[in-house]
Amino acid sequence: MKPNRAGLVGLLYAMPALLFVAALVIYPLGQLFYTSLTSTSLLGGGKFIGLGNYEKAFNDSTFWSALGFTLKYTLFITPVLMGGGFLLALLTWQNTRLKQFTRGVIFMPWVIGLATSSLLWYWLFDHRVGPINKILVDLNLIEAPLAWFTDAELGLWAVIISVTWKVIGFGTILFVAAIQSIDGEITEASMIDGASYWQRVRRIILPLSTRSILLTTLISVVGSMVAFDQFYIMTQGGPKTDTFTSVYWMYQNSFIYFKLGYGSALAIILTVIIFIGAATQVALTRPRGTE
Amino acid sequence: MQHVEIENVHKSFGSVEVIKGIDLSVAKGQFCALLGPSGCGKSTLLRMIAGLEAVSSGKVFVNGADVTNTHPAKRQIAMVFQSYALYPHMTVRQNISFSLDVAGRPKPEAAQRTEEVARILQLTDFLDRKPAQLSGGQRQRVAIGRALVRSPEVFLFDEPLSNLDAMLRVQMRFELAKLHEELATTMIYVTHDQIEAMTLASKIVVLDAGTISQVGTPLELYNQPANKFVAGFIGSPQMNFLKGRMETVAGREVRLELAGSGSVAILARGGVEDLKPGELEIGIRPEHIRPCNPGDAEANLSGRVELVEHLGNSTVLYVSTGSGRLVVQRSDDLSIRTGDTIGLAVDASRAHVFGADQRAI
Ligand SMILES: Nc1ncnc2c1ncn2[C@@H]1O[C@H](COP(=O)(O)OP(=O)(O)O)[C@@H](O)[C@H]1O
Ligand SMILES: [Mg+2]
């Protein structure tokens, strides 16, 4: 028997999965990259132009402002999602009936489509019929209804509020699982040792949930970096181009301006940025040695 | 008032009563073992002393203060858990000094105290390791160190040795005994292992299904078990129980007819005057039965040897008799072999009689 026969058999077993990945990831990515090197239009035609589209992106001020806005959005919403999700987990991790029910309610919006929830919140924030303005006016917090989506800052926060409502339950569920998996005797030992509730949270629960927190942060950051639906529906990128995200600008170029080649180049750039960011985070936070 | 006092404590989980009214007192400096089979409520009782479990009714006192509704941290107790419950993300040093840190004690003082405890427990070389990098025995010592550093009034242990292998268990048992001798702190120690209880404790509380079955010194429990439960639980190999018919009572001497064989006269403890003839049970430890020739006058029973175990320092016989199988243990090396028919002489002065209610008579 040849020595690497086993290796060959192993490869054969892995083949279906490899083919699957090749067909669904590698091939489209290659295709995307190739398109980014051309001046392809959505209407057809176009020729090979090398790195022309990348050069164009470098000089495109809206590309930069969209990337900046995307980073700003990510930077704002991630702490809200992580901090809020963890607080909710701390409040609801016990398995009493009320807390299980509350957990279910918090998680429920997760199963609604993002477009649906964005539309829902669009109307909740509406400056004529939306209840949010009415409540704020009634509470005397504002004098007149706000036109949330005509201001970039207000629009950003309206989106952050709506997305938080929609996805915070995801982190909460993962954090609840992490907190529940902490040995009850460890918690009891820390109580006997005299740790107050917040000392326990800071010195026992948080450190022992690190893994879930890092994983959830990664998922959340990547999700925020490719944000599109919520802005498409709620702000339409406005006012002007102030709330264009990277993906929105890519969509705008590809399907509104018909510049598929340029849109592909933008997609490739964003993919590379996210990949580098994610890889850095994973490398920095890889569990070192034994716990 | 004693150092730790428990007054009529009850505990129910839902509709199930687990602790059914327990009174207990432990003197200052005493090593008290709570002994009983799994599920009898030992841990629940200990956790109520620690304050990790609320009592359903009753009172708990530590050092003269009513701590029934006091937070665990304020009861002046420390606890060592069966799982050790070390903080996995902290070093040994951080584990031991945790209680000092959260109490906001000055860093140098905490560090010094930690080093001191580590020295007592021979953990100095491991202070910067994480629990995962320690052996079972070392983890056990860290758990003890974490309790020790707080200088508590009372130490609580919940089966601290049950996760260790047999050899380490004997060694840790010895170290715990030494530790108690050095510190002379009150210790309450939960175990299901009668040998641990007998060797470590000066006072043993035997629990049976949420009630106290008997309280006494190791030898009191061994020599004067109050009931069949304690008699069967203490001692290894287990005490033999035989059915017998009471025939006559003369003073405190009760003569019983054994099923399928001879008879035996046992000196009861008292209260036998109005004993009516009828079924009773005899308890006799394996080490209090002596093999002899079947026809001897001293033979109370006879039977066939089913199995002989040579343990080196003793011999254990399993003998099938008309009254059931008896276990016999002798410290001498016997020449008896499997299949032999032998007589058995019961040391009547060491035998016990149990009434229908299983109490010793
Ligand atoms: N939190 C709880 N909820 C319900 N039943 C419990 C709980 N803790 C213990 N019990 C029950 O109480 C009884 C005594 O348990 P425990 O004190 O742990 O026994 P032991 O330590 O002697 O083995 C057991 O039957 C156990 O199932
Ligand atoms: Mg237990």
Side-chain angles (χ1 to χ4, degrees):
Chain A
M1 231 205 300
K2 282 184 198 157
N4 59 2
R5 167 107 185 254
L8 210 66
V9 171
L11 191 67
L12 224 58
Y13 276 121
M15 216 55 186
L18 288 179
L19 281 175
F20 196 74
V21 170
L24 291 175
V25 179
I26 311 274
Y27 173 74
L29 259 184
Q31 186 72 35
L32 182 70
F33 181 62
Y34 176 75
T35 311
S36 77
L37 301 176
T38 68
S39 60
T40 308
S41 157
L42 195 61
L43 303 172
K47 59 182 196 309
F48 188 83
I49 55 165
L51 295 176
N53 284 327
Y54 292 91
E55 218 180 298
K56 183 174 164 195
F58 191 78
N59 296 315
D60 177 356
S61 68
T62 311
F63 161 74
W64 289 109
S65 72
L67 183 61
F69 180 73
T70 308
L71 285 172
K72 181 179 174 186
Y73 168 69
T74 304
L75 225 57
F76 281 14
I77 197 170
T78 307
V80 173
L81 290 178
M82 296 303 107
F86 201 84
L87 280 179
L88 288 174
L90 283 176
L91 289 172
T92 63
W93 68 269
Q94 288 100 336
N95 278 334
T96 66
R97 212 169 286 173
L98 178 68
K99 293 190 175 185
Q100 280 172 323
F101 174 76
T102 312
R103 239 148 59 203
V105 171
I106 293 169
F107 185 71
M108 210 141 50
W110 172 256
V111 300
I112 302 172
L114 184 54
T116 316
S117 93
S118 298
L119 207 55
L120 170 74
W121 282 90
Y122 179 78
W123 287 112
L124 291 176
F125 277 113
D126 185 85
H127 75 281
R128 272 167 301 137
V129 300
I132 291 174
N133 274 320
K134 174 150 175 44
I135 290 169
L136 291 177
V137 170
D138 287 353
L139 290 175
N140 271 328
L141 292 173
I142 52 175
E143 283 175 12
L146 295 171
W148 289 78
F149 303 113
T150 57
D151 180 280
E153 274 317 298
L154 282 179
L156 174 62
W157 282 104
V159 168
I160 286 177
I161 289 167
S162 84
V163 173
T164 299
W165 174 83
K166 154 112 176 75
V167 305
I168 199 163
F170 176 71
T172 300
I173 293 292
L174 288 187
F175 297 148
V176 163
I179 296 172
Q180 283 182 344
S181 71
I182 296 174
D183 182 356
E185 290 197 337
I186 288 180
T187 309
E188 291 177 345
S190 70
M191 280 169 71
I192 292 184
D193 271 347
S196 67
Y197 178 74
W198 285 110
Q199 281 175 326
R200 215 153 67 230
V201 169
R202 202 170 68 74
R203 306 188 56 158
I204 310 281
I205 300 178
L206 262 175
L208 291 180
S209 311
T210 320
R211 249 176 235 219
S212 301
I213 294 172
L214 292 176
L215 175 71
T216 315
T217 306
L218 184 69
I219 294 172
S220 172
V221 164
V222 171
S224 306
M225 286 298 290
V226 299
F228 170 68
D229 312 36
Q230 54 270 52
F231 290 98
Y232 179 71
I233 290 173
M234 293 177 75
T235 69
Q236 283 103 38
K240 288 177 290 178
T241 58
D242 286 358
T243 61
F244 268 122
T245 62
S246 291
V247 173
Y248 201 157
W249 187 231
M250 183 179 93
Y251 162 84
Q252 189 80 1
N253 276 289
S254 305
F255 301 110
I256 306 297
Y257 304 152
F258 294 167
K259 290 187 259 179
L260 208 52
Y262 183 51
S264 302
L266 294 176
I268 290 287
I269 294 170
L270 188 62
T271 304
V272 169
I273 291 173
I274 291 175
F275 186 81
I276 291 173
T280 312
Q281 195 193 338
V282 169
L284 284 180
T285 57
R286 183 182 313 220
R288 273 153 285 144
T290 38
E291 288 204 321
Chain B
M1 183 174 254
Q2 302 270 29
H3 204 207
V4 177
E5 293 257 1
I6 295 168
E7 268 179 30
N8 195 22
V9 162
H10 289 254
K11 176 71 186 180
S12 302
F13 292 109
S15 62
V16 185
E17 191 172 34
V18 172
I19 299 290
K20 299 163 186 166
I22 284 191
D23 292 285
L24 177 65
S25 57
V26 182
K28 195 173 173 82
Q30 194 167 42
F31 196 122
C32 171
L34 303 180
L35 175 65
S38 182
C40 71
K42 307 180 294 290
S43 295
T44 305
L45 184 58
L46 196 73
R47 291 166 56 80
M48 288 192 291
I49 300 173
L52 296 173
E53 206 80 73
V55 302
S56 298
S57 69
K59 279 189 156 60
V60 180
F61 298 86
V62 174
N63 204 17
D66 182 347
V67 296
T68 313
N69 298 309
T70 306
H71 188 275
K74 303 251 160 68
R75 292 188 178 202
Q76 297 177 287
I77 51 99
M79 183 155 168
V80 175
F81 293 86
Q82 182 174 354
S83 67
Y84 314 143
L86 301 181
Y87 309 126
H89 55 297
M90 299 184 196
T91 61
V92 170
R93 190 191 303 278
Q94 290 166 329
N95 262 281
I96 295 178
S97 67
F98 184 78
S99 59
L100 304 177
D101 295 346
V102 295
R105 298 274 277 276
K107 286 248 152 55
E109 183 200 322
Q112 193 201 338
R113 181 93 184 101
T114 304
E115 304 265 347
E116 196 180 310
V117 165
R119 205 165 40 244
I120 295 173
L121 295 166
Q122 289 150 33
L123 285 167
T124 308
D125 293 341
F126 309 103
L127 277 171
D128 294 311
R129 293 210 197 161
K130 296 264 181 80
Q133 299 162 306
L134 299 175
S135 72
Q138 289 162 346
R139 282 181 214 178
Q140 175 68 74
R141 288 211 290 270
V142 177
I144 295 173
R146 203 170 54 179
L148 203 56
V149 81
R150 306 181 53 217
S151 320
E153 286 286 331
V154 183
F155 275 100
L156 306 177
F157 294 91
D158 192 353
E159 313 229 8
L161 305 186
S162 58
N163 285 349
L164 301 176
D165 62 48
M167 228 155 73
L168 208 50
R169 204 175 311 161
V170 173
Q171 187 194 329
M172 284 306 300
R173 205 168 75 199
F174 171 75
E175 288 182 19
L176 273 176
K178 253 187 11 191
L179 192 69
H180 179 247
E181 203 175 274
E182 273 167 39
L183 301 174
T185 309
T186 310
M187 296 188 175
I188 302 180
Y189 185 102
V190 160
T191 179
H192 66 268
D193 180 344
Q194 48 118 358
I195 300 198
E196 265 175 37
M198 300 280 281
T199 51
L200 285 168
S202 56
K203 172 176 188 162
I204 299 178
V205 179
V206 182
L207 292 176
D208 176 17
T211 59
I212 292 183
S213 198
Q214 188 175 2
V215 181
T217 65
L219 287 183
E220 277 166 7
L221 298 187
Y222 179 84
N223 291 324
Q224 303 272 297
N227 50 54
K228 195 181 161 193
F229 178 80
V230 174
F233 202 76
I234 304 278
S236 165
Q238 208 190 22
M239 184 184 279
N240 297 292
F241 294 103
L242 310 139
K243 291 257 183 284
R245 244 196 105 67
M246 194 203 78
E247 291 184 324
T248 59
V249 181
R252 274 166 54 211
E253 193 182 75
V254 184
R255 177 159 288 279
L256 296 118
E257 184 82 27
L258 296 174
S261 22
S263 68
V264 61
I266 297 172
L267 210 54
R269 296 181 199 171
V272 292
E273 296 75 24
D274 24 79
L275 209 56
K276 304 272 177 306
E279 286 288 326
L280 289 177
E281 209 158 6
I282 302 162
I284 180 77
R285 296 197 184 278
E287 52 272 39
H288 300 146
I289 306 177
R290 199 159 38 79
C292 56
N293 289 320
D296 280 3
E298 56 176 2
N300 309 93
L301 292 153
S302 66
R304 201 178 144 274
V305 178
E306 286 183 341
L307 184 67
V308 182
E309 285 176 353
H310 295 284
L311 302 178
N313 60 353
S314 68
T315 309
V316 179
L317 308 175
Y318 296 83
V319 188
S320 166
T321 73
S323 298
R325 179 192 295 146
L326 294 192
V327 181
V328 178
Q329 184 174 36
R330 303 305 301 176
S331 58
D332 30 4
D333 207 9
L334 303 173
S335 57
I336 296 167
R337 274 176 304 183
T338 305
D340 290 355
T341 297
I342 59 170
L344 295 171
V346 171
D347 180 353
S349 65
R350 311 296 301 265
H352 310 273
V353 189
F354 301 102
D357 60 356
Q358 311 218 322
R359 307 216 126 267
I361 299 168

